[in-house]
Amino acid sequence: EMSASLVGSEMCIRDRCILREAYNMDDKTQLILNFINESSSNMPYVLKDKLIRDGKKLKYRFEFEEIKNSIDEFIEGNELNRFIVLPGIRGVGKTTLLYQAYYYLLNEKHILPNQIIYLSCDDLNNIVDCNIREIVDIYLNNQFNTQLRLLDKEIFLLIDESQYDKNWSMSGKIIYDRSEKIFMVFTGSSALNLEYNADAARRMFKRVVTPLNYNEHLKLKYDYSNINLGNSLVSLILNGEEQNAIKYENEMNRDLINNIKYNFNDWDEYLKYGGFPILARKINFRRLSTNIVDMIEKVVNTDMVAIKNFTFENQTNSNRILRYLALQNAGDLSQNNLAKYLKTSQANVKNILDILEKTHLIFSIEAYGTSSKRMKKTKKYYFATSSIRNALSENSGNTINDIKQYGGILLENHVVSILFNFTQRGNDCFTLYYDANKKRNVDFILQRDFKNPVPIELGRGRKDKKQITHAINSYGADYGIIISDTTTNIEKHNNIIYVPPKTFSFL
């Protein structure tokens, strides 16, 4: 009897364990469904709060047009671009792009709410481990009593902070392969760019959401845009054709003069605090700098912590490296000196810099020349926008007292970031370098495929053409460009084109 009792007891314990596991599974499923349903029911209020300012809808970043066009094509039966991935630094407007896509689907394409799933993996991860594929399976089973392979209606999956699913790219690949009825947009910051499945990469359309150029800034803040100027600047750089650029520059200057809302200090404010949509809404510059510093700390203390083997010590090292960069001349960095300063190895410094690049906080450019020359020369590092450098400088105590010198450093970072972002916006045929020649070197060289390079010099208060002339002759260039704050309009003298920084920022 005692033996039978023990057997019965063991069976009861086993059954209770099975029931508990089943309960936990059901509990997790219910948590996920509750989260999605709550998110969906709150979305009308969220859209009103996030997309409406002073009774008017927020203006679109240009990336929205690409999302909108892909949605339209998908609805019309073209499944080519149904897996869009939007990595980018925090604060550049990726979440807003998802809200605008949701609004477009709901109000202009009249898609039913239960066919749109908006999900913030960051928020969900506070409740349960975020697994995008599992979430989709649960939702389809609950809402439509079906699974991916049998899905017969269009579903739109808008996933924010996708990097909180460690296997986000594999989840996207599986969903993509198993159903042609799901349209996906994944956004994310740092870790989204750190690692993804090679097979998934062949299926996705990846578009880096870069900080705002001046044209995008004006569009959000003043509802003014001159896309023709941006396009003509591309032709100016590619072919040295300045006539259209001059035409549209004159148009832009005239339009801004006639725009009664335009603040003529706006360009200086943009140089120090721009690149992020928040500048279009806030005028408290101290608070803006604080917001940017807070964003940086979140990247380091949250995003980078999620990376395997990234220690607390390297969190501290990352913050110190960023502040070290902010207090140096633009681009200058000795990894050996930095390793000594941090009391760590050069290999660790290199690892931290590589990860910081993948978070989009900084970027690097190599020296122009042969592969061996690029290997021997150190990279130059810059911040994603001049406003990040300015915010860190203000926060750390700016050691540069000369206002003109500091303005020149911000301007250099701004110009190189505009050039770098230009190469990131689907312009893969371009590569940006710095000129490593010891004598009469220019600041940057833009190379397009196998065509002649374009040397670019930053004027900084002068129109000296010795360096650009030397670079044109040395590299066999057809023309060179000087971005000079001493000219108010585009000018061309022989084979040298002068462009004001404000105009150049429309690129």
Side-chain angles (χ1 to χ4, degrees):
E1 291 178 4
M2 183 178 292
S3 176
S5 176
L6 285 172
V7 170
S9 176
E10 288 174 357
M11 289 179 65
C12 287
I13 293 170
R14 185 188 63 196
D15 290 343
R16 281 199 299 271
C17 288
I18 293 171
L19 286 170
R20 188 180 297 115
E21 289 176 4
Y23 174 79
N24 286 339
M25 181 62 70
D26 289 343
D27 191 43
K28 179 180 178 182
T29 299
Q30 194 60 53
L31 283 171
I32 290 172
L33 289 172
N34 288 345
F35 183 86
I36 295 174
N37 291 335
E38 184 178 359
S39 176
S40 180
S41 63
N42 288 336
M43 192 53 70
Y45 307 102
V46 172
L47 296 180
K48 183 178 179 180
D49 180 57
K50 300 296 184 181
L51 301 183
I52 307 297
R53 291 284 183 277
D54 300 324
K56 297 180 180 179
K57 280 200 303 181
L58 286 182
K59 301 304 174 184
Y60 298 120
R61 282 193 58 130
F62 294 126
E63 287 85 353
F64 177 74
E65 286 299 318
E66 293 182 342
I67 298 172
K68 174 180 172 292
N69 291 339
S70 295
I71 287 173
D72 292 345
E73 290 171 2
F74 175 74
I75 291 175
E76 291 168 5
N78 183 349
E79 300 94 6
L80 185 61
N81 289 330
R82 55 187 168 88
F83 185 11
I84 299 175
V85 177
L86 304 174
I89 192 172
R90 285 180 179 272
V92 290
K94 302 185 300 297
T95 300
T96 300
L97 283 169
L98 290 187
Y99 290 149
Q100 288 170 328
Y102 196 110
Y103 185 95
Y104 178 71
L105 287 165
L106 197 63
N107 294 288
E108 297 188 41
K109 305 307 288 186
H110 307 295
I111 303 298
L112 294 175
N114 70 342
Q115 291 177 242
I116 312 171
I117 306 172
Y118 169 81
L119 185 68
S120 171
C121 290
D122 187 1
D123 293 336
L124 179 60
N125 209 53
N126 292 326
I127 302 171
V128 295
D129 289 340
C130 187
N131 183 317
I132 295 170
R133 180 193 166 192
E134 180 184 22
I135 290 164
V136 171
D137 287 339
I138 289 171
Y139 187 79
L140 293 181
N141 181 58
N142 178 266
Q143 280 288 320
F144 306 107
N145 194 28
T146 190
Q147 52 186 289
L148 278 168
R149 293 190 187 279
L150 302 177
L151 187 62
D152 61 356
K153 60 182 63 184
E154 293 158 345
I155 300 294
F156 298 85
L157 194 58
L158 309 177
I159 306 294
D160 204 9
E161 302 291 0
S162 306
Q163 72 272 6
Y164 282 91
D165 176 357
K166 303 294 183 185
N167 298 308
W168 68 268
S169 65
M170 182 57 70
S171 292
K173 173 191 176 298
I174 291 171
I175 294 169
Y176 182 96
D177 288 344
R178 292 190 179 180
S179 176
E180 294 183 353
K181 292 291 186 177
I182 296 188
F183 179 93
M184 297 176 284
V185 183
F186 287 13
T187 76
S189 50
S190 60
L192 196 63
N193 227 29
L194 291 172
E195 183 179 349
Y196 50 85
N197 182 274
D199 288 335
R202 290 194 290 271
R203 291 157 174 79
M204 67 177 69
F205 171 72
K206 186 175 133 185
R207 175 76 146 86
V208 178
V209 183
T210 61
L212 302 171
N213 67 13
Y214 196 52
N215 192 32
E216 293 168 318
H217 163 80
L218 291 174
K219 186 173 189 283
L220 294 183
K221 189 169 183 179
Y222 298 104
D223 194 18
Y224 173 77
S225 175
N226 195 322
I227 192 68
N228 290 326
L229 177 54
N231 291 335
S232 64
L233 285 169
V234 175
S235 295
L236 183 149
I237 290 175
L238 289 183
N239 308 308
E241 297 173 355
E242 82 287 356
Q243 289 303 318
N244 279 337
I246 291 173
K247 171 186 173 182
Y248 291 118
E249 179 191 50
N250 290 334
E251 179 182 273
M252 176 269 295
N253 285 327
R254 182 180 67 249
D255 290 344
L256 292 183
I257 288 173
N258 292 330
N259 189 327
I260 59 174
K261 294 181 180 179
Y262 183 69
N263 174 6
F264 282 89
N265 292 322
D266 186 76
W267 159 251
D268 295 322
E269 293 169 2
Y270 168 78
L271 184 63
K272 288 185 178 179
Y273 306 102
F276 300 98
I278 193 172
L279 180 57
R281 304 197 300 268
K282 292 195 176 183
I283 57 173
N284 185 318
F285 299 124
R286 172 57 65 180
R287 192 173 300 162
L288 273 172
S289 284
T290 301
N291 287 342
I292 293 172
V293 171
D294 289 344
M295 176 274 292
I296 294 166
E297 290 178 350
K298 188 164 186 179
V299 170
V300 173
N301 299 330
T302 301
D303 296 342
M304 294 176 71
V305 167
I307 300 166
K308 186 178 179 181
N309 298 327
F310 199 80
T311 64
F312 176 77
E313 180 184 1
N314 276 344
Q315 280 180 256
T316 304
N317 286 336
S318 298
N319 282 312
R320 288 177 177 171
I321 285 174
L322 290 170
R323 281 160 174 77
Y324 183 91
L325 279 172
L327 299 176
Q328 305 301 306
N329 287 331
D332 289 351
L333 179 68
S334 166
Q335 292 189 21
N336 182 43
N337 291 342
L338 193 51
K340 290 178 180 177
Y341 168 69
L342 297 174
K343 297 180 181 178
T344 188
S345 66
Q346 285 192 56
N348 191 41
V349 168
K350 183 180 182 302
N351 178 56
I352 294 171
L353 287 168
D354 288 344
I355 294 173
L356 284 170
E357 280 198 74
K358 286 168 179 160
T359 67
H360 306 281
L361 284 174
I362 64 173
F363 64 90
S364 67
I365 57 176
E366 295 181 327
Y368 182 73
T370 62
S371 298
S372 60
K373 185 174 184 178
R374 294 201 301 271
M375 290 288 290
K376 291 176 184 176
K377 294 289 184 178
T378 59
K379 294 180 179 180
K380 284 195 172 187
Y381 290 88
Y382 297 88
F383 289 98
T385 72
S386 54
S387 60
I388 292 178
R389 182 185 182 107
N390 182 63
L392 285 171
S393 295
E394 288 184 354
N395 185 259
S396 304
N398 191 3
T399 58
I400 301 173
N401 295 320
D402 188 321
I403 294 176
K404 287 187 177 180
Q405 182 188 359
Y406 182 64
I409 289 172
L410 286 183
L411 186 58
E412 180 178 347
N413 197 128
H414 171 68
V415 167
V416 69
S417 67
I418 289 290
L419 283 167
F420 180 77
N421 291 340
F422 169 68
T423 67
Q424 297 295 295
R425 289 189 175 108
N427 299 300
D428 297 332
C429 55
F430 294 94
T431 307
L432 181 65
Y433 301 96
Y434 73 89
D435 187 358
N437 281 343
K438 293 182 179 179
K439 293 183 178 180
R440 291 187 178 178
N441 60 316
V442 290
D443 290 305
F444 311 112
I445 295 174
L446 196 63
Q447 180 75 58
R448 183 192 184 198
D449 292 333
F450 300 102
K451 296 191 176 183
N452 291 343
V454 179
I456 300 174
E457 174 71 2
L458 187 58
R460 297 191 196 90
R462 55 187 169 78
K463 278 192 177 182
D464 188 348
K465 61 181 184 180
K466 291 180 182 178
Q467 288 165 294
I468 200 80
T469 301
H470 181 265
I472 290 170
N473 295 331
S474 296
Y475 298 124
D478 297 320
Y479 52 90
I481 298 171
I482 296 180
I483 302 165
S484 173
D485 55 6
T486 62
T487 182
T488 56
N489 297 95
I490 297 171
E491 302 173 13
K492 186 173 184 179
H493 302 289
N494 297 321
N495 59 352
I496 299 175
I497 304 170
Y498 297 87
V499 184
K502 184 168 106 174
T503 300
F504 189 77
S505 298
F506 277 74
L507 181 66

